[in-house]
Amino acid sequence: MNNEAVIEELTEKQTELIEFLYVDYNGLTRGKVIPLASLKAKLADGIGLTKATLNVSERDTILPVADMTPIGELRLVGDPASAHVLPYIPQVATMMGDIYNLDKTPYASDPRTILKQVVKQLADAGFTVKMAYENEFELFTGDKDHRAPAMPRVAFSTESMDFAYPFILKTINQLQQVGIMPNAYYPEGGIGQHELSMLPQDPVTAADNEVIYKRIIKNTAKDFDLYASFAPKPLVDSAGSGAHIHLSLWRGQDDAFFDADAAMQLSKTGQYFVGGVLNHIRGLLALTCPSVNSYQRLAPGHWSSAYATYGKDNREAAVRIPSTAWGDPASSMNIELKASDATANPYLAFAGLLAAGLDGIQNQTQPGDYCDVDPATLSESQRNEMGIHRLPQTLSQAVDAFVTDSLFQKVFGSQLIDAYAKIKREDDQYYSKLPLEKIAALHRELY
């Protein structure tokens, strides 16, 4: 949809306000709102943003980063292809924005722009990408000071399904109104935990969908006097919530990850992609598991992937190779990154994951032996022999790996890495003074 088409459509729908949104380095969605009468001008000129826009912590502290100061300006330009009327308030439309310099060049530290650049690199290598988040979330009753899990019953139980159906049916209806096609729903293993997955899209659309998906889930929950949290560990004593990333690469109409005769049906291309991901996973975690709360979730024996390894349907491995569909194995091969949660900026998480996989393909990086058991049940010497290593156990460890990874330095640039690391290190210092229950509670309300 171009500028003229989106203006015509939103005028016909009697939209009154238009949001231009972006996702900051905390994984929080922010933006500015204009009246419909200003849309034509703002699509052409963008909306002014301070250069300090992205180096702001979750507590709105501006951190010292070169050329990310209150001096100077950027422009947030709405992408009409991402425009949707909000189903729960149809007087308002929303669209994601790209950030530009005043000379009309893309802003180098804009997450959405970086993802587009990585997607182009894959296209230049002959690949298109399909991907999606698979989100888990928990439903609560009560206010922020008195949260209690809603319907704490057995995982996958029909009793939990019956409780959630009114909420789920309305959620699915609203998701479909903005073009997001659900894939499957079920009550998950945590107390009050649920999962509603989406069908895959191209990477930029999939990241856009993650933004509005979480928003619709949260707003729909309010209609049923519920609160939805996507925090990785909203309760210390319950299973954590992941936002697993599924993806596949394609050459034309062919799934490039599929080989009927290969082990696990994973092609050489797929093996190299996994090899690249595992080679860079310590730094990648700073993007896919980017909060202090993330590391309350990443523990052995919790189906959350505590080890850098891969395996067929191994839910304790960082990378799972899912079984293919019986009816169409050649078009259903994908890989799943389990070491991922919804505190991430989806554009940065996708860009880092795809860049790592592409690096593996280009360098023919072998992933090593696959693991068909829970790595925690192996001895340390057995894990070392298989090349299986523990993932970073703190945000600080992941950030240290991120800033020293030469691939990520090239993909994200020194300014973004400096700002991102400072934000995450400030978080690490802030939360280090708090008990585990308080850390979980604060993230439960923020995400």
Side-chain angles (χ1 to χ4, degrees), residues 9 17 21 51 74 91 106 167 176 180 182 196 214 218 265 282 287 331 336 352 374 379 389-390 402:
E9 178 178 315
L17 298 175
L21 304 180
K51 284 190 172 183
L74 302 167
Q91 299 92 337
F167 157 73
Q176 290 175 332
I180 296 176
L196 178 62
K214 290 189 290 187
K218 283 180 167 290
Q265 297 182 315
R282 291 185 62 83
L287 302 172
S331 297
E336 176 190 30
D374 180 352
S379 68
H389 304 291
R390 185 79 158 84
F402 174 65

Side-chain angles (χ1 to χ4, degrees), residues 79 112 115-116 119 201-209 347 350:
D79 179 357
R112 199 168 187 264
L115 176 57
K116 289 180 178 181
V119 170
Q201 297 286 346
D202 68 90
V204 175
T205 301
D208 291 347
N209 283 352
Y347 306 97
F350 282 1

Side-chain angles (χ1 to χ4, degrees), residues 38-287:
S38 301
L39 181 56
K40 182 176 181 179
K42 296 303 183 184
L43 283 173
D45 296 336
I47 298 175
L49 295 177
T50 171
K51 284 190 172 183
T53 289
L54 289 172
N55 62 315
V56 177
S57 75
E58 64 185 38
R59 290 164 296 281
D60 289 335
T61 304
I62 298 176
L63 300 171
V65 178
D67 203 31
M68 281 186 160
T69 70
I71 312 302
E73 184 167 292
L74 302 167
R75 294 289 172 84
L76 180 64
V77 180
D79 179 357
S82 68
H84 296 289
V85 172
L86 293 177
Y88 51 84
I89 181 165
Q91 299 92 337
V92 180
T94 187
M95 65 178 73
M96 299 308 302
D98 297 308
I99 302 177
Y100 285 81
N101 299 302
L102 290 184
D103 64 3
K104 299 183 180 181
T105 58
Y107 182 53
S109 297
D110 172 33
R112 199 168 187 264
T113 295
I114 291 170
L115 176 57
K116 289 180 178 181
Q117 292 168 345
V118 174
V119 170
K120 184 180 184 306
Q121 291 170 9
L122 281 154
D124 291 343
F127 299 107
T128 56
V129 186
K130 295 180 182 179
M131 61 196 313
Y133 269 108
E134 179 186 71
N135 290 275
E136 298 165 336
F137 56 90
E138 293 196 34
L139 294 176
F140 293 88
T141 59
D143 61 31
K144 65 184 181 65
D145 297 318
H146 303 91
R147 298 285 188 213
M151 191 63 177
R153 293 293 186 268
V154 180
F156 316 119
S157 71
T158 54
E159 187 177 10
S160 294
M161 293 177 191
D162 288 339
F163 167 79
Y165 277 146
F167 157 73
I168 290 296
L169 285 167
K170 186 169 184 178
T171 297
I172 289 174
N173 176 268
Q174 296 206 344
L175 289 172
Q176 290 175 332
Q177 288 183 50
V178 297
I180 296 176
M181 296 297 108
N183 185 36
Y185 159 73
Y186 47 88
E188 257 288 2
I191 302 173
Q193 188 181 55
H194 300 262
E195 179 174 304
L196 178 62
S197 59
M198 298 175 276
L199 292 177
Q201 297 286 346
D202 68 90
V204 175
T205 301
D208 291 347
N209 283 352
E210 174 72 353
V211 174
I212 196 167
Y213 167 95
K214 290 189 290 187
R215 195 172 178 187
I216 286 175
I217 292 281
K218 283 180 167 290
N219 276 278
T220 307
K222 293 177 184 177
D223 293 340
F224 297 89
D225 295 322
L226 297 169
Y227 174 77
S229 178
F230 288 87
K233 195 76 169 176
L235 295 170
V236 172
D237 297 326
S238 179
S241 293
H244 309 148
I245 302 173
H246 287 259
L247 72 95
S248 56
L249 298 189
W250 295 74
R251 290 191 184 97
Q253 300 299 311
D254 296 325
D255 187 336
F257 285 169
F258 179 76
D259 182 344
D261 300 321
M264 298 183 288
Q265 297 182 315
L266 185 65
S267 69
K268 283 290 186 183
T269 297
Q271 293 174 40
Y272 296 149
F273 191 99
V274 172
V277 171
L278 294 178
N279 190 40
H280 295 282
I281 196 164
R282 291 185 62 83
L284 179 61
L285 251 64
L287 302 172

Side-chain angles (χ1 to χ4, degrees), residues 376-393:
T377 64
L378 302 174
S379 68
E380 186 174 354
S381 62
Q382 287 175 315
R383 288 194 294 268
N384 288 337
E385 185 178 341
M386 295 178 66
I388 299 173
H389 304 291
R390 185 79 158 84
L391 295 175
Q393 296 179 56

